[in-house]
Amino acid sequence: MERTHDVARSLDKLYNFADCAGLHLIFGLNALHRNPDNSWNASSALNLLKYSAGKKYNISWELGNEPNSYRTMVARSVNSSRLAQDYTLLRTLLQSVRFYSRANLYGPNIGRPRKNAILLLDGFMKNGGSVVDAVTWQHYYIDRRVTKVEDFMKTRLLDTLSEQITKVLKIVQTHAPEKRVWLGGVGPAWAGGTNNLSDTFAAGFLWLNTLGIAAAHGIDVVLRHSFFDYGYNHLVDQNFNPLPDYWLSLLFKRLVGPRVLAVHVAGLQRKPRPGRVIRDKLRIYAHCTSFHNHDYVRGSITIYIINLHRSRKKIKLAGTLRNKTVHQYLLQPFGTDGLHSTSVQLNGEHLRMVDNETFPELKPRTLRAGRTIAMPPVSIGFYVIKNINAYACRR
């Protein structure tokens, strides 16, 4: 166990990094310090709260990680009543430290919502859901037995997230209908990732699918494992060069706003035959364009598309979207490794840092008004429909 001084020094480094990067730090406290009666031993946490308050660190808090798995970690389980008591105690501690009396607290950060985790979440919401500002949970698509890049493209796999979100939302809305729900951790696989695959272009299909489905279900925050070093599911490599999911995330943040729009795609919404589910390999999402992007006026729309087909697909914009100028940001693997590539091209240009601190210009390709969008095989595209003055996107 680290000494208090070492923990404080690590926190200093972590907070300074987040602050320098313009990020907000959510710090997960250790819930595995247990008393003989299995209650949470909060003494170390209180010392850390007092230290960070003295430094005036603007931090939000969380307690533990995947409490449904504690039995495998410390040979003792925590039931929903105990978990609620632990979080209530943490809220009391935060209120006792004046600087954190109004700090945000998130939890319980359950693991993949299977039977035991669902029961734990239900009991937690009943007994302690009121003490958290948002309900957090985690989703991992696959286990580490997956070894083929093609597994990242299975529509049945991509659809598991929607099924799990529905389970979690049902419980939260039963006990606290107004409570926000966050996806507090997501990755291709549990236990750190899938070696040699999670950092490739193919993993981006899962990542963008996650962002699109989460937004469509009203989940407004998605937290991801991990940024650097731990496991395999990184955003940058060991030399801090951006990996495919970094470029994908950067484009998403620049082009996609939080307001979700309904999409109707003729040819996809066909009725399944009895006993069958239609699992589309062409996935289309639409949002208002980010208001923070000053290249586009308010009222613009961003459509993002995942093409999992091994063939080119054409999409024709209809209705009010017809005959509008479109900016295309098309992402494909760069180099000869195909879907295994850890490099990306944008509209045919290799994306890479200009130097250690300078990003390349993310230049769109202009598609003339009325032109059909052509999605190459197994590719990802963002399409900004300019100057459409969509009513829902003006405010």
Side-chain angles (χ1 to χ4, degrees):
M1 186 183 300
E2 288 184 289
R3 299 191 305 268
T4 302
H5 175 74
D6 294 330
V7 173
R9 189 168 57 181
S10 297
L11 179 60
D12 291 340
K13 291 179 180 179
L14 185 60
Y15 186 83
N16 289 335
F17 167 77
D19 190 50
C20 181
L23 302 173
H24 179 71
L25 180 62
I26 302 172
F27 192 90
L29 294 166
N30 190 344
L32 299 180
H33 290 165
R34 315 301 294 185
N35 295 313
D37 65 354
N38 206 29
S39 62
W40 178 46
N41 185 329
S43 56
S44 296
L46 182 58
N47 289 335
L48 192 64
L49 289 175
K50 290 178 178 178
Y51 173 81
S52 55
K55 292 278 193 174
K56 291 185 166 46
Y57 287 162
N58 178 22
I59 298 176
S60 296
W61 303 89
E62 196 168 45
L63 177 61
N65 180 57
E66 298 190 42
N68 48 295
S69 300
Y70 286 173
R71 179 181 291 277
T72 62
M73 301 176 189
V74 292
R76 59 170 76 175
S77 60
V78 174
N79 62 30
S80 59
S81 297
R82 175 61 68 192
L83 186 63
Q85 291 170 16
D86 294 345
Y87 265 85
T88 301
L89 174 57
L90 177 52
R91 174 59 79 187
T92 302
L93 293 180
L94 290 171
Q95 291 171 341
S96 72
V97 178
R98 180 179 297 179
F99 187 76
Y100 291 124
S101 61
R102 296 186 178 182
N104 286 323
L105 174 60
Y106 305 117
N109 209 25
I110 63 162
R112 199 158 39 158
R114 294 173 172 169
K115 183 177 179 180
N116 291 341
I118 284 292
L119 291 173
L120 188 65
L121 177 62
D122 186 62
F124 173 83
M125 292 304 301
K126 180 180 178 180
N127 297 303
S130 61
V131 304
V132 294
D133 296 287
V135 177
T136 57
W137 63 289
Q138 300 188 31
H139 177 77
Y140 297 96
Y141 284 94
I142 47 184
D143 63 33
R144 296 184 75 175
R145 290 172 297 180
V146 173
T147 56
K148 302 190 303 294
V149 74
E150 289 76 19
D151 290 318
F152 286 95
M153 301 161 59
K154 291 180 177 177
T155 53
R156 183 177 296 277
L157 183 70
L158 271 63
D159 289 339
T160 58
L161 175 60
S162 186
E163 298 159 6
Q164 305 290 13
I165 289 176
T166 300
K167 292 180 185 178
V168 172
L169 290 180
K170 181 179 179 181
I171 290 173
V172 174
Q173 289 166 359
T174 297
H175 298 286
E178 303 302 316
K179 190 73 68 176
R180 292 179 298 157
V181 178
W182 289 10
L183 189 48
V186 66
W190 60 271
T194 306
N195 195 10
N196 298 326
L197 295 180
S198 298
D199 297 344
T200 66
F201 183 88
F205 298 131
L206 287 185
W207 180 224
L208 189 59
N209 181 73
T210 298
L211 297 175
I213 287 180
H217 281 83
I219 292 179
D220 57 359
V221 173
V222 176
L223 305 178
R224 170 195 166 100
H225 300 308
S226 54
F227 179 70
F228 173 74
D229 197 35
Y230 171 75
Y232 303 107
N233 186 30
H234 305 137
L235 287 174
V236 297
D237 67 16
Q238 292 293 318
N239 297 313
F240 296 98
N241 295 307
L243 289 165
D245 277 6
Y246 188 102
W247 295 116
L248 183 57
S249 304
L250 182 62
L251 277 171
F252 190 94
K253 293 290 284 185
R254 289 193 180 181
L255 300 176
V256 179
R259 182 164 294 175
V260 182
L261 304 174
V263 179
H264 176 75
V265 185
L268 290 187
Q269 273 83 353
R270 58 195 189 278
K271 292 183 179 180
R273 286 179 291 187
R276 290 197 60 193
V277 176
I278 296 296
R279 301 186 185 275
D280 289 308
K281 289 191 171 186
L282 192 67
R283 294 174 177 246
I284 303 177
Y285 304 94
H287 292 228
C288 297
T289 303
S290 173
F291 289 168
H292 299 295
N293 191 326
H294 300 300
D295 291 334
Y296 301 106
V297 298
R298 292 199 177 202
S300 300
I301 292 174
T302 299
I303 296 173
Y304 50 104
I305 305 172
I306 304 170
N307 181 17
L308 297 171
H309 289 277
R310 293 286 185 177
S311 58
R312 189 174 71 154
K313 293 297 172 181
K314 294 182 178 180
I315 301 101
K316 193 167 185 63
L317 301 178
T320 55
L321 304 182
R322 186 188 297 136
N323 297 325
K324 299 292 182 182
T325 301
V326 176
H327 275 181
Q328 171 186 274
Y329 299 82
L330 179 65
L331 291 174
Q332 295 174 273
F334 177 80
T336 58
D337 292 332
L339 294 176
H340 289 86
S341 177
T342 56
S343 298
V344 173
Q345 56 180 319
L346 173 65
N347 295 327
E349 296 289 332
H350 183 200
L351 279 181
R352 51 189 166 185
M353 298 292 290
V354 176
D355 55 44
N356 285 340
E357 298 182 0
T358 308
F359 285 94
E361 185 181 356
L362 302 178
K363 294 182 292 188
R365 175 173 294 165
T366 301
L367 306 182
R368 70 177 184 274
R371 180 176 170 183
T372 298
I373 293 173
M375 286 286 294
V378 286
S379 62
I380 290 169
F382 294 83
Y383 298 88
V384 180
I385 304 165
K386 301 175 58 184
N387 306 322
I388 192 173
N389 201 26
Y391 178 76
C393 300
R394 293 205 303 259
R395 295 172 289 115

